[in-house]
Amino acid sequence: MVRIGPRRVLAGSSPRSSLQPRVQLWQPYRQQDALRQHFTRGCPQSNRQWTKHARLSPLFVPHRLLIPRLLRPISTPALPTRRGPIFRFFYRFFAYTGGFILVTGGFVLAFFIYDASTYREDLSYTDIPVSRDALYPRRGGPKNLPIAETLVDDDDFPENTRSKHKPKLVILGSGWGSVALLKQLHPEDYHVTVVSPVNYFLFTPMLPSATVGTLELRSLVEPIRRIVQRVKGHFLRAEAVDVELSERLLEVKQTDASGEERHFYLPYDKLVIGVGSTTNAHGVQGLENCYFLKDIEDARQIRNKVLENLEYACLPTTSDDERRRLLSFVVSGGGPTGVEFAAELFDLLNEDLGRSFPKILRNEISVHVIQSRGHILNTYDEALSKYAEERFAHDQVEVLTNSRVKEVRPDKILFTQKGEDGETVTKELPMGFCLWSTGVAQTEFCKRIAAKLENQNNRHALETDTHLRLNGAPLGSVYAIGDCSTVQNNIADHLVSFLRTLAYEKGKDPEKMVITFKEWRGIAQRVKKRFPQASDHLRRLDRLFEQYDKDKSGTLDFGELHELLCQIDSKLTSLPATAQRAHQQGQYLGRKLNKLAQAAPGMQANEMDYGDLDDAVYKAFEYRHLGNLAYIGNSAVFDINGLSFSGGLLAVYLWRSVYFAQSVSFRTRVLLAMDWSKRAMFGRDLMHY
């Protein structure tokens, strides 16, 4: 037997020290280990016998009880009793539920506190100064009308008072270009006045969704006064009638409370025309029987007409032929607007009609798209156009390509269609509703301006230079952006006049002047700077020079250079009439006007009030196409920077995300999210109002 001696105690320490309980707990293990080493003496067989014998010994301590992390001092309280799984489940459930209720209740309480702070008990009006000129404007101008040199809210705030004597910037319209310009301007640089017949900004890309109740009308509009407040500007709900370019007076008409039209002049230093466009009739008769989709009121009328036809089709007195006519919906125009409306209309009829209307209506409904070109969405990639046509064929939406409308009657539409053999056949299609969406045309206001200027030769839009200045107007005083304008290239005419001036300065005859390759490089740089959209056509200057140097003399004469520039000019297409183009032009013009305002003090000090100031302070406008996208019925197509792709619901969510991000304010984003969620849970609204 091996005697196990008593535990050692260090000198100066008490046997009942704080370490005593832990050492006593380890003592049985030490005795057990010493006995095992004595009896086994390294023999494996003896080791196994010892293990069997040791399990019966009262000194044996299982190893799982000797793990240091489970050792607890004897003086500490006992471990808590482990609860069952049912108790733990209910404990966690009530804990999480209580936490959620507390957090939600906190948010609700905070909202009510904020809501209570928005109400006012005190009277908000005070005595304010108003200029006499604002109340009693003087008369003048060619028509002896009142001239609104001072507005009634010019002295409402100190910021308004400071900007009262700044250059007067008048912006016509409240569309994409005007809003982008307002968001880019620096406050108090100009005395800003916005003139528009409507007091809201409309998010036009989502307008087809509002025609069928997918989105509410209020979700697509933002009050223009909120946007104007950012630049401490003013808003007049009125319509521009005419402009006196020589006197810088804008004639405006406004209907007063009695229904009478009041005309007055609004002076300006810089005028920005962004009045948009109207629908192109293409000389077709009977358009009074059609509906258009340009404004929020158009969407409301279309929505009521669609629901009205559905209600009439349910009446027991409606014959089969009349029911089929009422349920025949025709879309004239295969562009993005027409295609998206046809897709939204099909979704309404396919997803929500069966819930509230007789099922026979779904079987007799027909949707037709009439397109003059060979494919719908002809400005997109050809693969995407074919995908859209296949999708419409799957959804039983009839696409009539190579067709032109001749006449629209109250109960049918007449059109011609070119067959595969080239023969044109006249057909008719019964219809209860027709949407006309076939291009844009000038407004009456733009036509009056174009008639006054000799350089305006475009019948569809006002022509501007690359700095967005209206051709023919006093330099730097009138700009045009958006659908109402088009950027005129005329590269050849511009460079020819430049070369003539250069030749006269050198004392040479322009017709006999020759250009070397080095001089051609300089001319190309001038073209790129003045016409950025021509950069893609001037990448290989050496090839162009060699191609048009027909006599291989190493130089270009006047005729060869003119032919080269005319060829480049013919390749440049006009900019698309889209929201992104207007948005880019508004941003560009806002940045340039900021630069002009910064440079104004120096120009006034040096008496520089003439010349091409726009070109001196800022570069020419360059349009960058960001791509196209369209909704085609529970699927979407994308054509972005040469990459074309399409898909189902995932593409729809991506399509929504793009427009959600482009929405003008946080308010409209919240409303869009609520409308999409409401459609998913409750369906579309089928109410006539």
Side-chain angles (χ1 to χ4, degrees):
M1 293 289 291
V2 176
R3 179 176 177 273
I4 305 299
R7 177 175 55 86
R8 283 187 175 182
V9 180
L10 297 177
S13 63
S14 173
R16 296 185 180 274
S17 64
S18 60
L19 298 176
Q20 183 176 353
R22 188 181 298 276
V23 176
Q24 287 180 348
L25 188 61
W26 278 88
Q27 193 68 21
Y29 174 76
R30 294 178 180 174
Q31 295 176 359
Q32 178 179 308
D33 188 57
L35 289 172
R36 181 175 62 79
Q37 291 181 2
H38 173 73
F39 285 107
T40 60
R41 299 184 185 278
C43 177
Q45 184 176 1
S46 300
N47 192 9
R48 287 194 296 271
Q49 294 177 356
W50 161 255
T51 302
K52 182 178 180 182
H53 170 75
R55 293 181 182 276
L56 303 176
S57 173
L59 297 176
F60 177 75
V61 181
H63 286 275
R64 64 178 178 271
L65 298 179
L66 299 176
I67 300 175
R69 63 185 178 88
L70 296 178
L71 296 179
R72 298 175 60 85
I74 296 177
S75 60
T76 59
L79 289 171
T81 305
R82 187 174 181 83
R83 306 291 184 180
I86 298 178
F87 175 84
R88 294 198 304 272
F89 169 77
F90 281 103
Y91 177 81
R92 292 175 181 174
F93 172 76
F94 286 113
Y96 292 149
T97 304
F100 174 77
I101 293 175
L102 289 176
V103 173
T104 306
F107 279 113
V108 172
L109 179 61
F111 172 77
F112 277 108
I113 294 175
Y114 169 75
D115 181 67
S117 66
T118 59
Y119 297 97
R120 299 186 61 175
E121 294 290 342
D122 59 322
L123 299 179
S124 59
Y125 68 86
T126 58
D127 292 335
I128 56 173
V130 179
S131 174
R132 181 178 178 83
D133 294 336
L135 299 176
Y136 307 100
R138 69 177 182 89
R139 288 182 171 268
K143 298 181 181 180
N144 194 28
L145 298 176
I147 302 177
E149 296 175 322
T150 305
L151 301 178
V152 293
D153 54 347
D154 270 341
D155 296 306
D156 281 1
F157 300 99
E159 297 86 355
N160 294 20
T161 305
R162 288 195 296 268
S163 63
K164 184 166 59 173
H165 303 291
K166 296 293 181 66
K168 296 183 182 298
L169 173 62
V170 177
I171 302 173
L172 302 183
S174 57
W176 281 91
S178 302
V179 170
L181 169 60
L182 288 170
K183 288 190 171 184
Q184 201 70 33
L185 281 177
H186 292 164
E188 301 185 30
D189 279 351
Y190 294 92
H191 181 273
V192 180
T193 304
V194 177
V195 179
S196 175
V198 295
N199 62 349
Y200 55 81
F201 163 76
L202 175 62
F203 193 80
T204 51
M206 301 297 292
L207 200 55
S209 298
T211 60
V212 296
T214 304
L215 298 177
E216 293 294 336
L217 301 179
R218 67 177 182 273
S219 302
L220 303 182
V221 294
E222 180 72 11
I224 193 64
R225 289 185 180 273
R226 292 184 181 178
I227 304 174
V228 174
Q229 285 174 0
R230 177 190 167 274
V231 293
K232 311 302 178 185
H234 315 272
F235 174 77
L236 296 176
R237 185 176 178 180
E239 183 179 354
V241 177
D242 202 352
V243 60
E244 300 295 337
L245 297 173
S246 58
E247 301 185 32
R248 297 195 177 188
L249 292 175
L250 175 70
E251 183 181 350
V252 177
K253 73 175 181 180
Q254 190 177 36
T255 304
D256 59 12
S258 61
E260 297 182 3
E261 286 188 354
R262 304 289 185 179
H263 290 246
F264 61 93
Y265 284 128
L266 192 63
Y268 68 87
D269 294 304
K270 292 186 179 296
L271 176 65
V272 179
I273 303 174
V275 295
S277 58
T278 60
T279 304
N280 195 341
H282 293 287
V284 176
Q285 298 179 356
L287 292 189
E288 63 273 7
N289 301 312
C290 297
Y291 289 81
F292 307 97
L293 192 53
K294 299 287 289 184
D295 201 356
I296 199 71
E297 182 62 22
D298 297 335
R300 188 188 64 82
Q301 292 179 2
I302 291 173
R303 181 174 176 176
N304 288 341
K305 179 61 177 178
V306 171
L307 295 176
E308 188 178 87
N309 284 12
L310 295 177
E311 296 292 350
Y312 286 155
C314 296
L315 297 178
T317 56
T318 304
S319 63
D320 291 341
D321 293 340
E322 179 66 9
R323 184 183 298 110
R324 281 191 289 269
R325 184 192 70 81
L326 289 172
L327 299 179
S328 175
F329 299 91
V330 180
V331 179
S332 180
T337 302
V339 168
E340 289 186 350
F341 172 76
E344 292 281 0
L345 181 62
F346 172 80
D347 290 345
L348 167 69
L349 304 176
N350 189 55
E351 297 173 0
D352 297 87
L353 194 65
R355 302 177 184 176
S356 307
F357 288 86
K359 293 184 178 180
I360 189 176
L361 268 64
R362 178 63 188 90
N363 295 337
E364 295 186 352
I365 280 176
S366 61
V367 181
H368 315 270
V369 179
I370 299 178
Q371 168 69 337
S372 60
R373 304 293 182 88
H375 297 281
I376 59 175
L377 299 177
N378 58 288
T379 58
Y380 290 51
D381 185 81
E382 185 177 357
L384 296 181
S385 299
K386 292 182 178 179
Y387 175 82
E389 292 174 358
E390 293 173 358
R391 182 73 187 189
F392 275 178
H394 173 269
D395 295 339
Q396 297 181 349
V397 176
E398 185 181 17
V399 178
L400 303 170
T401 57
N402 298 317
S403 304
R404 293 185 177 274
V405 177
K406 292 180 59 179
E407 183 181 358
V408 181
R409 297 179 181 177
D411 58 344
K412 60 184 175 182
I413 185 170
L414 304 179
F415 65 97
T416 59
Q417 187 174 30
K418 184 181 296 185
E420 296 181 356
D421 54 357
E423 184 179 356
T424 301
V425 181
T426 301
K427 300 181 180 180
E428 66 177 37
L429 185 65
M431 63 89 181
F433 171 87
C434 179
L435 174 70
W436 189 265
S437 176
T438 58
V440 297
Q442 278 185 327
T443 63
E444 292 298 325
F445 174 72
C446 292
K447 290 179 180 179
R448 292 192 191 97
I449 296 179
K452 292 184 176 183
L453 303 175
E454 297 180 357
N455 298 337
Q456 297 292 330
N457 302 317
N458 195 312
R459 296 182 301 170
H460 303 290
L462 296 174
E463 293 182 342
T464 68
D465 62 6
T466 54
H467 283 274
L468 306 185
R469 296 171 297 193
L470 187 65
N471 290 343
L475 195 63
S477 63
V478 183
Y479 303 85
I481 57 177
D483 295 353
C484 69
S485 66
T486 181
V487 178
Q488 187 184 41
N489 298 316
N490 288 345
I491 297 178
D493 296 342
H494 172 76
L495 265 297
V496 165
S497 61
F498 164 73
L499 292 176
R500 289 183 185 275
T501 304
L502 184 63
Y504 290 139
E505 291 177 353
K506 294 182 178 181
K508 299 180 180 179
D509 185 1
E511 302 295 335
K512 298 180 180 179
M513 185 177 178
V514 294
I515 303 297
T516 63
F517 181 74
K518 182 178 180 180
E519 292 172 333
W520 161 239
R521 290 174 63 91
I523 293 174
Q525 291 299 324
R526 181 183 177 92
V527 172
K528 291 179 181 180
K529 181 179 179 181
R530 187 62 183 260
F531 304 95
Q533 63 271 27
S535 300
D536 292 338
H537 303 283
L538 292 172
R539 291 179 177 177
R540 295 301 304 269
L541 300 179
D542 52 347
R543 290 185 180 179
L544 288 172
F545 191 88
E546 182 179 357
Q547 179 182 354
Y548 285 89
D549 184 15
K550 298 180 180 180
D551 55 1
K552 306 301 179 183
S553 61
T555 59
L556 294 178
D557 58 26
F558 193 84
E560 293 171 339
L561 181 61
H562 187 269
E563 183 180 355
L564 186 155
L565 296 175
C566 288
Q567 180 65 20
I568 295 176
D569 206 353
S570 64
K571 293 181 179 180
L572 298 180
T573 59
S574 58
L575 301 181
T578 58
Q580 63 171 307
R581 173 253 186 134
H583 183 75
Q584 291 184 29
Q585 288 182 330
Q587 287 183 323
Y588 162 83
L589 190 55
R591 289 192 292 265
K592 183 165 69 172
L593 291 176
N594 291 336
K595 292 287 186 180
L596 289 171
Q598 293 175 2
M603 293 180 179
Q604 292 177 359
N606 297 316
E607 297 181 354
M608 295 177 58
D609 56 353
Y610 59 91
D612 196 347
L613 302 182
D614 293 69
D615 189 50
V617 302
Y618 207 64
K619 60 183 179 181
F621 171 71
E622 180 179 3
Y623 172 71
R624 296 180 180 179
H625 187 62
L626 302 179
N628 296 316
L629 59 160
Y631 176 77
I632 54 175
N634 293 336
S635 59
V637 295
F638 298 82
D639 187 5
I640 301 175
N641 293 332
L643 299 177
S644 303
F645 60 95
S646 57
L649 288 179
L650 291 179
V652 172
Y653 293 140
L654 179 59
W655 173 78
R656 289 181 178 178
S657 301
V658 171
Y659 285 140
F660 182 83
Q662 291 181 347
S663 189
V664 70
S665 68
F666 177 74
R667 167 189 164 275
T668 53
R669 293 188 183 98
V670 172
L671 292 177
L672 286 175
M674 292 174 60
D675 287 346
W676 285 323
S677 302
K678 183 181 65 176
R679 186 216 65 84
M681 293 186 291
F682 309 112
R684 296 172 176 85
D685 287 336
L686 301 178
M687 295 179 294
H688 183 288
Y689 59 88

